[in-house]
């Protein structure tokens, strides 16, 4: 079913749900002015030195030119400085306060869900404001942009650090993905918001939820690779549609 507004039936399903899990992608941050990876919904697209994101954010480039990888992420950190969450982020923080069992799983590394007040956030692909030491693996906050030194040095052992994000070709943080899978299979309602659902294993979560009997609701201005399993596709922008779930029925 394709809809363009949130019906009373969907609001009551939301109010009645025992367990709600949400998966977000770049589209939920588009209305904050953050570029997406593949566009859609007239969102900007990340471009940098004419290289594709899958190459810039890759384990191969980290192995051959870690300085360039840091320059790429510092470019994005510069763009993210001063960016505020939008009504879509704030609505999800309020959803969490209303629902008894709520899990927010994000592919975004921009930290905007937390900035909007979301607490139970599973960051599948890491966080752009964190660094991880290549020697002792400890992680630390690295908010200075532009970077004072490239690479930043570990606060614990002085070793060189890398962005604490998951690059293409790297496995996701074990525990985090297992908890996301668990929340997907436990959910009554599984929302897929602002993602083109082409990057795995994240894009497998809606399928796991569907298999476990969840009702899958997609929110996106465009149909995507996951629309075929969605029970409902809400065609529109997250910042306009997500707050509608909070209004009184009727
Ligand atoms: C791994 C962090 C295993 C860094 C990211 C072939 C088949 C299946 C898989 C693969 C394959 N070949 C390779 C793979 C694996 C690969 C993958 O899936 N590649 C894809 C391209 C095919 N996956 C991996 O490499 C993963 N690791 O598989 O390890 C392994 C096994 C053995 C040994 C070693 C490893 C790691 C994947 C994670 C990579 N890191 N991010 C960074 O940010 O730079 S992925 C990054 O890209 C994002 O985090 C996100 O996941 C993805 C972008 O997707 P979206 O967020 O959905 O954004 P997109 O722009 O595509 O879509 C935006 C949507 O929003 C659109 O639909 C648009 O219409 C909509 N929209 C726009 N405006 C709005 C809106 N929606 C709502 N409101 C609006 N206003
Ligand atoms: Zn260290």
């Amino acid at each position: 079913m394709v809809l363009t507004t949130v019906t009373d039936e969907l609001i009551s399903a939301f109010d009645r749900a025992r367990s709600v899990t949400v998966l977000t992608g770049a589209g939920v941050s588009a209305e904050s002015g953050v570029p997406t990876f593949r566009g859609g919904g007239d969102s900007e697209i990340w471009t940098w030195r004419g290289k594709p994101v899958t190459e810039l954010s890759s384990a191969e480039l980290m192995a051959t030119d870690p300085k360039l990888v840091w320059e790429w992420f510092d470019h994005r950190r510069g763009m993210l400085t001063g960016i505020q969450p939008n009504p879509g982020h704030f609505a999800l923080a309020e959803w969490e306060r209303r629902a008894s069992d709520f899990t927010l799983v994000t592919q975004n590394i921009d930290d905007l869900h937390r900035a909007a007040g979301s607490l139970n956030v599973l960051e599948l692909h890491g966080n752009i404001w964190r660094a991880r030491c290549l020697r002792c693996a400890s992680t630390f906050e690295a908010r200075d942009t532009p970077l004072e030194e490239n690479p930043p040095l570990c606060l614990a052992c002085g070793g060189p650090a890398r962005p604490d994000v998951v690059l293409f070709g790297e496995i996701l943080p074990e525990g985090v993905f297992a908890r996301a899978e668990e929340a997907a299979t436990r959910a009554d309602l599984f929302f897929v918001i602002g993602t083109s659902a082409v990057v795995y294993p994240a894009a497998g979560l809606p399928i796991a939820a569907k298999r476990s009997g969840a009702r899958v609701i997609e929110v996106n201005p465009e149909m995507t690779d996951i629309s075929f399993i969605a029970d409902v596709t809400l065609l529109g922008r997250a910042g306009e549609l997500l707050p509608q779930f909070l209004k009184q029925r009727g």
Side-chain angles (χ1 to χ4, degrees):
M1 183 201 313
V2 177
L3 298 170
T4 55
T5 59
V6 178
T7 59
D8 285 353
E9 187 280 323
L10 281 178
I11 295 174
S12 58
F14 178 75
D15 293 344
R16 283 198 316 277
R18 181 186 44 71
S19 172
V20 176
T21 298
V22 171
L23 173 68
T24 64
V28 80
S29 294
E31 292 154 83
S32 294
V34 182
T36 62
F37 295 75
R38 289 175 188 76
D42 67 23
S43 59
E44 311 260 327
I45 294 184
W46 283 114
T47 52
W48 194 67
R49 301 191 186 171
K51 291 179 182 299
V53 170
T54 42
E55 183 193 322
L56 291 164
S57 296
S58 69
E60 286 97 292
L61 192 62
M62 190 67 197
T64 54
D65 192 345
K67 267 192 186 321
L68 186 62
V69 172
W70 262 120
E71 283 171 33
W72 154 236
F73 281 101
D74 203 34
H75 164 71
R76 291 166 66 181
R77 290 148 52 96
M79 296 226 358
L80 284 171
T81 302
I83 290 252
Q84 297 303 318
N86 67 63
H89 296 109
F90 289 116
L92 289 169
E94 182 56 28
W95 286 19
E96 181 177 1
R97 289 187 282 270
R98 295 220 185 157
S100 48
D101 171 11
F102 182 89
T103 306
L104 178 51
V105 182
T106 189
Q107 299 167 78
N108 302 342
I109 63 174
D110 59 26
D111 208 36
L112 289 175
H113 283 303
R114 226 189 287 272
S118 287
L119 304 173
N120 185 11
V121 183
L122 297 178
E123 295 175 320
L124 289 183
H125 298 159
N127 188 305
I128 201 168
W129 300 113
R130 253 193 339 258
R132 186 169 78 242
C133 177
L134 292 166
R135 191 189 294 162
C136 73
S138 67
T139 60
F140 55 97
E141 246 201 20
R143 285 199 171 255
D144 60 315
T145 185
L147 285 173
E148 266 139 39
E149 57 198 346
N150 182 351
L153 301 180
C154 172
L155 305 180
C157 77
R162 57 161 281 168
D164 189 24
V165 299
V166 179
L167 300 173
F168 285 98
E170 293 182 333
I171 52 172
L172 275 58
E174 205 44 46
V176 176
F177 189 70
R179 287 172 60 201
E181 264 183 325
E182 208 278 318
T185 51
R186 185 175 75 235
D188 301 335
L189 286 186
F190 189 94
F191 287 85
V192 191
I193 303 173
T195 183
S196 57
V198 296
V199 171
Y200 284 77
L205 292 170
I207 298 162
K210 181 83 175 182
R211 280 215 192 95
S212 312
R215 189 175 179 197
V216 175
I217 300 173
E218 179 181 36
V219 178
N220 197 306
E222 299 183 2
M223 304 298 272
T224 69
D225 287 12
I226 214 78
S227 302
F228 74 99
I229 66 149
D231 299 282
V232 176
T233 292
L234 280 163
L235 276 183
R237 299 152 150 242
E240 287 153 20
L241 289 167
L242 302 186
Q244 293 181 22
F245 280 88
L246 297 168
K247 74 176 195 289
Q248 292 317 310
R249 270 166 287 155

